[in-house]
Amino acid sequence: MNVLYQRSPRMTPVLKEEGLEILRPPTEPSKPTFSMISIIVPIMMTMVSIGFYVYINMTGKMNNSSYMMFQMMTVMMMLTSYTIPFFVYLSNKKSYRKKLEERKTMYLAQLDKHREELKEAQAEQVKSLYEIHGDPGVCLQVVKNRNSSLWERSPEDDDFLQVRIGTGEIPFRIKLQVPRIDGYEKDELIEAAHELAAEFQTVPDASITLPLFQSKVMGLVGDREEVLASLRVIISQLTVRHSPDELKLAAFYEEKDSKEWDWLRWMPHIWDEDQGQRYMADRHSGAHQLADSLFSVLNRRRNNKEDRYKKSVQTPCYVVILSDTQLIEEEPLLPCCWNRLRKLMYAPSYWLIARSLCRCIVS
């Protein structure tokens, strides 16, 4: 780090991937059953007994009227007892429906609670990403006010060489684990849990970033003016967020586009480490010399055995802006770029880039 600059401590929100398990709904209560046979058979036996008593009474074989009355009362009590299981069944059925409703209400209330918590987590993720990457328009204010966030990112940071290009849907950092559907029978509560998981797979309106360090080679395609505007936004973020001691920019462009690249010469990141050469060249004014200079630096780094086995990021990192591969197609730098450099390539609408060389295409 340059002795004229001291990086301020950086406090950034931590966005770690988490898992949230949605528990299974309570076991469904047993459905009450009712068998007509358990009532019909005793009733038939009772009716046979009544018929037998009537027959004996009519034939005069039973003279004790009190005994007859007792038997009739016994029969009536038996008939009444047969209706009790039916009323018990109705009561159990009502209780079963009540328990089902309570089970459904309780589980859906738990899912609604999870839904509110997940919405808060989504909003927190959007807010945190905005705090980390900010709006590209903030870069001007950071430089103008000499804010402490100038050159705040270091190679040890997870967002090193990441730039914001807009907003959209990104994966949600919380992964929901929902209960598995067993067998062929569907449970509406388990289906509701799966619908909840599908609802929170992504986060809308979040900051989308380009991971230059991981992508290595990236292409910008589209309308010329829009592509150049996007490129200026990307370079502005790179130069504001990263120190010139840890990031170097290099640009190869056509001679007719020189005026569109004059602004880049004022960036401290465009100078070599000795402050003796700007890493800028068009086809006819130093493209070969610049390519040879970059290749010498990278080739020396590649052949350095001590640096080869370092797990940390080797600095400075080089981001090369290349408008056309033909500018350096005969230079040894080109094949080296695919493996060693973080290359940002832009393609105006009137010609097509070799897309097979790019790991990431931005249109």
Side-chain angles (χ1 to χ4, degrees):
M1 178 61 64
N2 195 306
V3 295
L4 299 178
Y5 171 75
Q6 183 176 359
R7 179 179 285 123
S8 301
R10 187 185 182 203
M11 303 296 292
T12 58
V14 179
L15 293 175
K16 294 183 178 180
E17 288 194 0
E18 301 178 11
L20 176 62
E21 182 181 3
I22 306 296
L23 300 179
R24 296 186 67 86
T27 305
E28 187 173 340
S30 300
K31 188 175 182 179
T33 57
F34 179 74
S35 177
M36 294 298 296
I37 297 179
S38 61
I39 294 182
I40 292 176
V41 172
I43 289 178
M44 291 180 63
M45 295 299 295
T46 303
M47 296 302 296
V48 171
S49 300
I50 293 175
F52 179 72
Y53 292 145
V54 171
Y55 170 75
I56 293 178
N57 188 44
M58 292 179 63
T59 56
K61 296 181 179 180
M62 182 179 293
N63 297 324
N64 191 341
S65 59
S66 297
Y67 178 75
M68 181 63 180
M69 183 64 65
F70 174 76
Q71 292 296 330
M72 293 301 296
M73 291 180 63
T74 302
V75 170
M76 294 301 296
M77 293 176 64
M78 292 174 62
L79 291 174
T80 302
S81 66
Y82 299 152
T83 62
I84 293 178
F86 177 72
F87 290 107
V88 170
Y89 166 74
L90 294 180
S91 177
N92 291 340
K93 189 175 182 179
K94 183 178 180 180
S95 177
Y96 168 73
R97 291 175 179 175
K98 183 179 179 180
K99 290 180 179 179
L100 281 181
E101 190 65 28
E102 290 177 350
R103 173 178 178 265
K104 180 179 179 180
T105 302
M106 181 179 65
Y107 194 72
L108 292 181
Q110 185 63 33
L111 292 184
D112 289 338
K113 182 180 178 181
H114 285 310
R115 181 175 284 104
E116 295 302 320
E117 294 174 348
L118 293 171
K119 286 182 178 179
E120 292 179 2
Q122 280 185 330
E124 184 65 26
Q125 184 171 345
V126 172
K127 180 181 177 181
S128 299
L129 288 174
Y130 186 82
E131 290 179 2
I132 294 173
H133 302 288
D135 191 287
V138 178
C139 293
L140 177 61
Q141 299 300 323
V142 171
V143 176
K144 185 177 180 180
N145 300 329
R146 297 186 180 181
N147 193 284
S148 60
S149 60
L150 180 67
W151 301 343
E152 63 180 352
R153 296 185 184 176
S154 68
E156 290 75 25
D157 292 332
D158 294 333
D159 56 356
F160 185 69
L161 287 185
Q162 289 188 7
V163 291
R164 182 178 184 267
I165 58 169
T167 58
E169 285 191 347
I170 63 172
F172 191 23
R173 67 180 183 85
I174 299 180
K175 308 301 180 184
L176 297 185
Q177 301 175 7
V178 295
R180 187 180 62 181
I181 299 177
D182 296 329
Y184 296 98
E185 294 185 3
K186 293 184 178 180
D187 189 331
E188 61 176 345
L189 298 185
I190 295 182
E191 291 181 348
H194 281 263
E195 292 175 0
L196 179 67
E199 182 181 348
F200 289 94
Q201 288 183 346
T202 59
V203 179
D205 302 324
S207 298
I208 296 180
T209 60
L210 293 179
L212 295 182
F213 188 82
Q214 290 79 10
S215 299
K216 295 186 178 180
V217 181
M218 185 173 297
L220 297 178
V221 297
D223 179 76
R224 175 181 175 80
E225 295 302 323
E226 293 181 356
V227 167
L228 291 175
S230 299
L231 193 58
R232 285 192 289 268
V233 171
I234 291 173
I235 294 175
S236 299
Q237 293 181 75
L238 287 173
T239 54
V240 170
R241 305 294 186 188
H242 305 84
S243 164
D245 290 326
E246 296 168 337
L247 171 66
K248 296 295 182 183
L249 298 178
F252 294 87
Y253 48 86
E254 296 287 354
E255 184 178 9
K256 59 185 177 64
D257 298 330
S258 297
K259 291 184 178 180
E260 295 180 349
W261 292 97
D262 281 344
W263 63 274
L264 191 60
R265 65 176 55 250
W266 302 107
M267 299 294 178
H269 305 70
I270 206 69
W271 289 92
D272 64 2
E273 296 188 34
D274 298 328
Q275 301 291 309
Q277 175 190 7
R278 286 190 177 96
Y279 289 143
M280 298 177 63
D282 58 41
R283 186 186 296 269
H284 301 293
S285 61
H288 171 73
Q289 290 80 359
L290 177 56
D292 187 62
S293 176
L294 288 174
F295 176 76
S296 298
V297 172
L298 296 174
N299 192 51
R300 185 168 57 250
R301 178 184 292 182
R302 180 176 57 183
N303 294 331
N304 191 323
K305 294 183 179 181
E306 293 182 2
D307 292 340
R308 187 185 303 176
Y309 299 105
K310 284 183 178 179
K311 294 183 178 180
S312 60
V313 178
Q314 299 181 44
T315 57
C317 289
Y318 289 83
V319 173
V320 176
I321 305 162
L322 181 62
S323 64
D324 191 343
T325 55
Q326 293 180 358
L327 292 171
I328 58 172
E329 64 179 351
E330 296 181 358
E331 303 291 340
L333 176 65
L334 184 60
C336 181
C337 284
W338 308 137
N339 300 319
R340 305 293 295 178
L341 291 182
R342 312 303 168 197
K343 180 184 293 294
L344 189 61
M345 306 173 64
Y346 77 92
S349 58
Y350 52 80
W351 60 270
L352 184 65
I353 194 171
R355 298 191 179 192
S356 61
L357 300 177
C358 298
R359 297 187 182 182
C360 180
I361 300 291
V362 181
S363 175

